[in-house]
Amino acid sequence: MSTTQVNSICPFCGVGCGIALVASDNNIIAVQPLSKHPVSQGKLCAKGWNTPFGISRHGRLTQPLMKVDGKFKVVSWQHALSHIAKSLKQFIKESGPQSVGLISSARATNEDNYAAQKFARAVLKTNNIDHCARICHSPTVAGLKKTLGSGAMTNSIDDVGKADVILVIGADPTENHAIIGGQIMKAKLSGAKLIVVDPRQTRLAKVADMHLQLKIGTNIALLNGLLNIIFDHGWQNDDFIKRRCEGYDALKAHVADYTVEKVSKITGIKGADLVKTAKLYSQANAAFLAYGMGITQFVSGTNNVIAVSNLALVCGQIGREGTGINPLRGQNNVQGACDMGCLPNVYPDYQSAIDKQVREKFSHAWQTEVALLPGLTSLGMSHQARHGNFRGLLIFGEDPVVTDPDRNKVAQGMRAMDLLVVIELSMTETAKMADIVLPAASFAEKQGTFTNCERRVQLIHKAVAPPGEAKIDWQILSELANKMGMSELMNWQTSEQVFDEMCQLTDSFSSMSYPRLKQNNGLQWPCNKEFPDGSRCLHTTTFPIGKGKLIPVEYELTDEIPSTDYPYWFTTMRLHFHYGCGSMTRKSPLLERETPIGLLFIHPQDALDLGLKNHQGVTVSSRRGCVETRIEISHQVSPGLLSMPYHFKEAPSNFLTNDAMDPITEMPELKVCAVNIIPLPENQTPRSSVLSDVGRSYD
Amino acid sequence: MTEANNMANKLLINDLDVLKHHIAKFYSVVQIQKDVNGQELWTEQLGDKLDPLFGHNHLPLTSPKGFLFAEKEVLYKFDGETFETILPRVHPKVLFGVQACDLSAIAYQDKFFEHDPYYQKRREHILLVGIDCESPCANGFCVQVDAGPHVKDNTADLVLSRLSVDETNEFSEWLVIAQTEKGINSIKGMMLDKADNKHLKRRRELFEKVRSEFVDYSYISNAIEYLNDNSVPAQLWEELSVRCMGCSGCTNLCPTCSCYSTYEVVEKKTVTPASISNEVKLEVTHSETIRCWDSCLFEGFQKEASGHNPSQKAAQRVERFWFHKFSDEYLPEFQRYGCVGCGRCEQTCPGSIGVHSVMKRIDQQCCN
């Protein structure tokens, strides 16, 4: 019984830690950290260490399943794919290519994602391709595209160690990007000043020099207020603004309205702290700004990102070591899924899908007509499904029933579709609702590339064979294309062929290849003729749009605010020990053991006022739905604010969340809504919301 | 004990490959290798085709702990009617080139797992070939915890010590000490010259030389005293423990850590027993009970069924870990501290609370 060891990249968050997979008897039995990996340097977080449980063969889907008479039946690949092809062709014929679409997986490889958007555009002739960045960093992609011309993290992870000021807004890196969180704590120990802006008292907030515990949803008021203070004191970087920005006058005039008194009132932050923060950030030699869902997941998400960008540009804290606008991309390959064009409006490398020249380029390269009409986002597809206009959907490695906002609407949309195909590792809640479930290979069972948050494209290697009849995403799409009569289009034999095809059609990846990735421990895009060894730091001399744009944005209220019926603010968060819908991390007995007894985090004062004991059962309800769970008394939240993690299918917080959207990106306002609590009788166990094996909920 | 003193079991060799190939006739070779990315690891994968790596420059981040105390293993199975112990299927392996620190750790775990049949089944099939370190490693402080840099007595079957190396001829002179009966048997049939007292003296000289090259991390010795004095204030543990993210890296990599948990993998199988009838379908529960490495830094580690948790606070858990590594209270049972000075926790901790960071902070705080 000997073991083999293969190097790979952790499948959880966007940090992209090096990890070695130890295999024995075709099972991953252990993982090891890699001391020489440039990002992780011999470290892993609890999720990374528990990878073997996450992808173990136990509980994995191994054969295609089709729902027959309300029950799942094992079918052959031949049968399943033929049925899917036939259905899709029928829908396209009857209702047009707008009636079908794909959701690709932000946790699958670049190759899988490239294949997904090619299948959509070249085979189905639709631009209806999207993925979970929609509900995560789509405002980053849109916002920074407007202000800088590029939506990716501008600096590299190790710039954290080169900053003398670190500003973290709406992110909880020690829990969700643990290795980066650790580096931030280390920088603080080495003398850097740390400022945390968050309505919750996160771990970083505890060690920070300043924690601005702002009222939820008041980011723009805060950021505009900081800008006003900076202009008042002349703390802006005049030289940088002159050389590299435009729109200064308009912005300065606009933020004059955001006086310290006004902003203090809106945000709940003391004037003195606002001034101190403005001074620290603007006067730093190098200030590293990181942000997350606490900036993006709002109806004002895109504007929030623009406000962040304004701050960094005005202070010249970009384009140099130790600085930058650094969105912390969540998933292991959400950066890649965006880069590969799994978005309704762009092709790979963000080439516009409505640009005639781009369409012609891809049409020519792929030797076929490509999609013409603008595409739907994931929420758009769900919306159209509920109205009977969207009929067939393929979802890869995503569990929207648990992770998308307004669960009742999501489920309604799924039920309304004529064909729902889910390609997954295990029977998730979304898979239960599917008509056809196809078994997928995990990251340990294939070769390919992931792109982490610092744009580093890294190779993963196959350590074990996929279980049973499971296949790789791009293989499934290749075979489906074949069934639809377009076999020449996606005729790849290896993932390297897919990668090479993609590189040829983009600029940012044009100098990449598997051998070069291997040699260099990954390469950060853009990696092209101008930057053949990749790019550590973007925008060093110029922005893709030339000068950075300063764009005035207005503070606006969140879509919902507390009222008599729903008197509490409600927000969503993540726990350290679980990931996403929990389909992988909850397979680990060690991580599952860390799950708190109560999932509704509530301030002791609120619990007292309601007469609640710790861990008592309650019903939490919003305008959209309700959920039963136990409370967890905590000082992390402030009075009047409740929060829940979204990892737990027995108490899905998304029954409560609001899908009111950012008009620019259709990002739903996951971070805030209004709820009410009603205690359950003292010894009553909260009712679980887990669906039956075939996707039915029982009332 | 007499084995070690017997000069008949102290021999000389010039080419370690010859030794390895001899041993490889009866043992599968496990040694430190570099993978394609230059990452070092203990692996059986490449067999004995390549030269072994050893010494201070090649201490892999993972110790050979997993070859004895398996990271995951089935303890027993249940087939619906009976329970069956599943002992590991093993074949003889030689761990070739283990550093002194890791050997001290194995000796420690030998005591902890003395009555553990799973550990012992693996253990009895393993030959330990230790190698003296010739220089301090990056984070190591084995000298201060009596775990190196030379292989401690009675921690290996064979001890290899390089007495001299002539770079131009690539000619090395190795002292080979067979310390146990297993060790003696493993080199039976080899025609090796006997060493004499001058070789032993040379080894002692080298030991003094290497030892003197170690930085004296006084904060470590000081902190060990403060820990045993109970003079570390609770507030310091509060401060340090904020940075513990419960990653479990320290306990996974620490070669003396031995805590484990068990869990069941249950499968319901439908069987149609022919002895009854073709229409009768019985649902039979099959289960495997598996042991896996655990970590005392997890909040759930000591959580009880009622929800009560004696180590609810991270400060308590972090303090407990260092108590286990440096408390005198374990000396009667193990004759040494839990810490062997390998420094791996320092490298792997994302929160900067590995051994050097913690001991420095304790020394800073307490020497007022």
Side-chain angles (χ1 to χ4, degrees), chain B residues 260-278:
Chain B
Y260 59 83
S261 188
T262 59
Y263 62 96
E264 276 76 42
V265 175
V266 181
E267 257 174 51
K268 290 206 193 308
K269 293 197 174 138
T270 309
V271 295
T272 311
S275 55
I276 301 180
S277 148
N278 274 341

Side-chain angles (χ1 to χ4, degrees), chain B residues 47-309:
Chain B
D48 62 348
K49 308 272 183 310
L50 299 172
D51 287 337
L53 296 169
F54 58 88
H56 67 287
N57 276 329
H58 301 292
L59 186 74
L61 201 45
T62 47
S63 69
K65 175 169 77 166
F67 287 96
L68 291 156
F69 169 38
E71 188 162 347
K72 271 186 196 66
E73 63 182 328
V74 179
L75 299 181
Y76 55 89
K77 290 187 181 179
F78 176 69
D79 66 3
E81 263 180 51
T82 48
F83 290 90
E84 185 195 346
T85 300
I86 308 290
L87 285 178
R89 284 196 331 266
V90 292
H91 56 267
K93 291 191 228 256
V94 56
L95 299 186
F96 196 95
V98 190
Q99 287 93 345
C101 52
D102 285 342
L103 287 167
S104 296
I106 290 174
Y108 185 97
Q109 292 221 322
D110 282 350
K111 294 193 174 85
F112 184 86
F113 286 111
E114 190 185 340
H115 301 291
D116 187 297
Y118 305 91
Y119 181 97
Q120 292 303 332
K121 179 94 191 283
R122 293 175 200 276
R123 183 67 179 89
E124 68 200 22
H125 284 80
I126 283 186
L127 181 76
L128 292 172
V129 179
I131 289 192
D132 288 345
C133 282
E134 296 173 355
S135 226
C137 61
N139 288 324
F141 53 96
C142 53
V143 173
Q144 283 168 263
V145 287
D146 195 35
H150 276 201
V151 174
K152 311 299 297 177
D153 284 344
N154 304 309
T155 61
D157 298 299
L158 293 176
V159 180
L160 306 175
S161 195
R162 189 160 62 171
L163 301 180
S164 68
V165 53
D166 179 343
E167 304 289 2
T168 53
N169 293 348
E170 291 167 18
F171 169 91
S172 299
E173 190 181 36
W174 292 87
L175 174 63
V176 180
I177 305 173
Q179 288 205 320
T180 63
E181 199 164 315
K182 205 194 254 178
I184 293 168
N185 286 334
S186 71
I187 54 173
K188 241 194 194 115
M190 291 190 79
M191 297 294 151
L192 298 175
D193 290 334
K194 287 203 179 31
D196 59 42
N197 280 321
K198 75 166 189 283
H199 298 109
L200 300 185
K201 183 159 174 265
R202 177 82 186 121
R203 186 184 179 216
R204 280 195 295 276
E205 281 165 8
L206 287 170
F207 175 68
E208 292 305 329
K209 176 174 175 289
V210 182
R211 221 163 71 129
S212 70
E213 286 171 15
F214 271 79
V215 170
D216 179 33
Y217 298 111
S218 58
Y219 55 80
I220 293 183
S221 314
N222 294 346
I224 294 177
E225 264 187 54
Y226 294 131
L227 282 167
N228 280 293
D229 256 342
N230 280 323
S231 40
V232 182
Q235 181 228 348
L236 181 62
W237 295 120
E238 298 281 349
E239 173 201 313
L240 292 172
S241 65
V242 172
R243 310 207 298 264
C244 178
M245 295 192 271
C247 73
S248 74
C250 52
T251 47
N252 285 335
L253 296 184
C254 178
T256 60
C257 268
S258 53
C259 284
Y260 59 83
S261 188
T262 59
Y263 62 96
E264 276 76 42
V265 175
V266 181
E267 257 174 51
K268 290 206 193 308
K269 293 197 174 138
T270 309
V271 295
T272 311
S275 55
I276 301 180
S277 148
N278 274 341
E279 272 120 46
V280 174
K281 282 188 180 11
L282 294 181
E283 210 182 50
V284 177
T285 302
H286 280 238
S287 83
E288 279 184 347
T289 296
I290 300 176
R291 167 165 80 182
C292 66
W293 289 355
D294 200 347
S295 177
C296 62
L297 279 321
F298 282 128
E299 185 177 327
F301 179 76
Q302 211 182 359
K303 193 166 71 175
E304 297 166 9
S306 65
H308 173 63
N309 190 343

Side-chain angles (χ1 to χ4, degrees), chain A residues 205-280:
Chain A
K206 281 199 205 126
V207 304
D209 292 286
M210 299 193 65
H211 174 207
L212 305 184
Q213 195 165 4
L214 82 178
K215 292 196 189 145
I216 195 153
T218 60
N219 288 311
I220 292 180
L222 174 74
L223 292 162
N224 283 356
L226 291 176
L227 276 176
N228 193 27
I229 293 167
I230 288 168
F231 290 137
D232 259 354
H233 289 87
W235 287 337
Q236 70 276 7
N237 189 327
D238 284 315
D239 175 64
F240 186 85
I241 293 170
K242 182 151 173 260
R243 281 187 302 113
R244 309 246 350 232
C245 305
E246 51 193 29
Y248 171 67
D249 294 321
L251 181 66
K252 183 169 178 188
H254 175 78
V255 302
D257 200 30
Y258 289 80
T259 60
V260 172
E261 298 73 41
K262 184 171 172 200
V263 169
S264 191
K265 187 147 184 272
I266 296 172
T267 62
I269 296 174
K270 292 207 283 270
D273 287 343
L274 292 170
V275 176
K276 194 166 169 209
T277 300
K279 186 169 188 196
L280 271 171

Side-chain angles (χ1 to χ4, degrees), chain A residues 5 7 29-30 32 35-36 41-44 46 49 53 58 174 178 182 189 203 207 576-577 590 593-594, chain B residues 35 38-39 41 45 62 71-72 242-247 249 252 263 265 293-294 298-300 303 347-348 350:
Chain A
Q5 186 151 330
N7 283 357
I29 56 168
Q32 291 177 3
S35 54
K36 292 189 164 49
Q41 296 165 6
K43 305 176 210 304
L44 288 172
W49 276 109
F53 288 109
H58 184 73
T174 52
L189 288 171
R203 187 197 304 262
V207 304
H576 179 57
F577 297 98
L590 301 176
R593 194 181 58 186
E594 295 303 284
Chain B
D35 68 11
Q39 189 78 37
L41 56 139
Q45 188 172 341
T62 47
E71 188 162 347
K72 271 186 196 66
V242 172
R243 310 207 298 264
C244 178
M245 295 192 271
C247 73
N252 285 335
Y263 62 96
V265 175
W293 289 355
D294 200 347
F298 282 128
E299 185 177 327
K303 193 166 71 175
Q347 166 95 47
T348 203

Side-chain angles (χ1 to χ4, degrees), chain A residues 39 89 95-96 99 114 157 190 195 223 240 275 299 304 309 319 337 364 384 457 498 521 566 637 651:
Chain A
V39 175
K89 278 201 253 189
S95 319
S99 69
Y114 175 81
I157 293 169
S190 305
I195 309 164
L223 292 162
F240 186 85
V275 176
V299 289
N304 291 349
S309 174
H364 177 77
Q384 291 301 330
V457 179
V498 186
N521 251 321
Y566 300 100
V637 289

